[in-house]
Amino acid sequence: MTVACMCVSQQPRPSAQRIAIVGLGGIGGVVAASVVHAGHHDVVACVRRPLERLTAERPDGTIVVPLRSLADPAAATPVDWVLLCTKAHETASAAPWLARLCGPGTRVAVLQNGIHQARRVGPFAGAARVVPTVVYYNGERLAADRVRLRHAGPHDLAMADDADGRALAALLAGTTLRLLVTPELDTLAWRKLLLNVTANPITALTLQRQAVLRRDDVKALCLAVLQEAVAVGRADGAALAVDEAPRAFDYLMNYPPEAGTSMYYDRLAGRGFEVEALTGAVVAAGERHGVPTPLNRAFLALLRAISDAATNAAA
């Protein structure tokens, strides 16, 4: 695989931009703290409840940054960049924010799980341009104003090697996030989906963190689920390798055993899952391309049952 790595240290100091961060969970909190700490841009967090500061626990030390926040979409005005960090299944709920934040010159970077991000977000972004990404870092929300960053692998965030992707890399230059600019983002999105359709369902169903993946019987199940998803990804156009399944599992071992997943955290909190964007996306693509997915379909049924019960209980 040929990729181009754009290291932060190689980028010039970015010109000041107006950035709105929608969704301040683990992923959004980490990127918000990183961008504010770098000090180059005018940042506002779009949240349910106002916050004055944000604490981020990082491998290089804990930082505390002041935070300007908005809790009412009606108070928002168009910005240069929106970093959309909601869960994939909550995209529609961000529509009021996007309607106020997006103008003809706005770019919306999608820091969400799943494939085909432009299709998912585009209908809500108006005239703004959607910039897909692949998020690799593990962000855990510890409290409303506190998050923890765990690195996994050599990069934290990948974006396409095109004008918008390079502009996003320039925007984040000066942060400690490790960036990858690549001509193979669609394939990397499928590779990230492979990680998500193993670690997320298993941690959510077992209510255990990623240490559970180190069991021999769970590893065998992971590899079988991955083989199904790899076949679907190839049919969908991703350039996945012959040994993609074991390579994906080996990558999962880069995550520390104490790391959780988005579904795991959501189940602990009694929230619904982004199951349709992950396991649901594999099953749906398998149906489109005529590729059988019995194991992923079984996961999907169980995850939907748990997610629907949580959603109904919260209603």
Side-chain angles (χ1 to χ4, degrees):
M1 179 180 67
T2 302
V3 294
C5 178
M6 179 176 282
C7 299
V8 171
S9 60
Q10 297 174 337
Q11 299 308 301
R13 184 184 179 91
S15 58
Q17 301 278 294
R18 295 165 299 160
I19 303 174
I21 299 174
V22 179
L24 211 63
I27 297 301
V30 165
V31 74
S34 298
V35 175
V36 173
H37 188 248
H40 302 325
H41 303 296
D42 177 13
V43 180
V44 62
C46 301
V47 295
R48 293 187 178 92
R49 298 177 183 84
L51 294 175
E52 295 183 355
R53 64 187 56 84
L54 181 64
T55 299
E57 299 177 9
R58 311 190 304 186
D60 59 342
T62 297
I63 60 172
V64 181
V65 299
L67 193 68
R68 184 166 69 90
S69 60
L70 289 177
D72 183 0
T77 57
V79 294
D80 299 304
W81 282 89
V82 176
L83 306 186
L84 181 61
C85 303
T86 63
K87 301 287 179 63
H89 67 289
E90 297 172 338
T91 300
S93 69
W97 286 110
L98 294 174
R100 298 286 297 180
L101 294 167
C102 291
T106 303
R107 285 182 273 208
V108 180
V110 184
L111 278 72
Q112 293 180 336
N113 284 323
I115 54 176
H116 307 312
Q117 293 174 345
R119 293 184 202 170
R120 181 167 65 242
V121 176
F124 304 102
R129 297 200 301 280
V130 178
V131 184
T133 75
V134 177
V135 178
Y136 292 105
Y137 65 83
N138 181 272
E140 180 177 0
R141 188 184 189 192
L142 303 174
D145 60 352
R146 193 178 191 94
V147 294
R148 176 181 292 142
L149 165 67
R150 295 184 180 93
H151 296 298
H155 305 105
D156 295 316
L157 189 67
M159 57 282 295
D161 188 11
D162 57 21
D164 288 334
R166 290 189 292 272
L168 177 59
L171 185 80
L172 298 177
T175 71
T176 58
L177 295 174
R178 302 163 304 168
L179 310 178
L180 175 69
V181 178
T182 172
E184 299 181 343
L185 191 71
D186 289 345
T187 293
L188 292 191
W190 260 102
R191 287 196 171 116
K192 176 64 186 299
L193 185 61
L194 297 179
L195 307 181
N196 278 326
V197 298
T198 46
N200 270 278
I202 289 171
T203 56
L205 291 170
T206 64
L207 281 177
Q208 297 182 55
R209 292 179 180 247
Q210 294 201 43
V212 71
L213 304 181
R214 288 159 169 79
R215 289 177 54 103
D216 289 342
D217 51 358
V218 174
K219 176 181 178 180
L221 175 60
C222 287
L223 289 171
V225 169
L226 284 166
Q227 292 287 8
E228 283 186 6
V230 167
V232 175
R234 288 190 188 128
D236 200 51
L240 300 176
V242 173
D243 60 343
E244 198 71 53
R247 285 172 55 181
F249 186 84
D250 288 346
Y251 192 97
L252 280 171
M253 295 300 98
N254 289 320
Y255 289 85
E258 69 274 13
T261 66
S262 62
M263 282 188 188
Y264 169 82
Y265 298 134
D266 283 340
R267 187 172 184 196
L268 287 181
R271 296 187 294 258
F273 307 149
E274 53 183 352
V275 59
E276 301 304 331
L278 301 181
T279 301
V282 171
V283 173
E287 290 175 350
R288 289 196 305 272
H289 298 295
V291 179
T293 56
L295 290 174
N296 282 276
R297 191 178 293 277
F299 274 179
L300 182 60
L302 295 172
L303 293 168
R304 280 176 172 166
I306 298 169
S307 182
D308 289 349
T311 301
N312 293 335

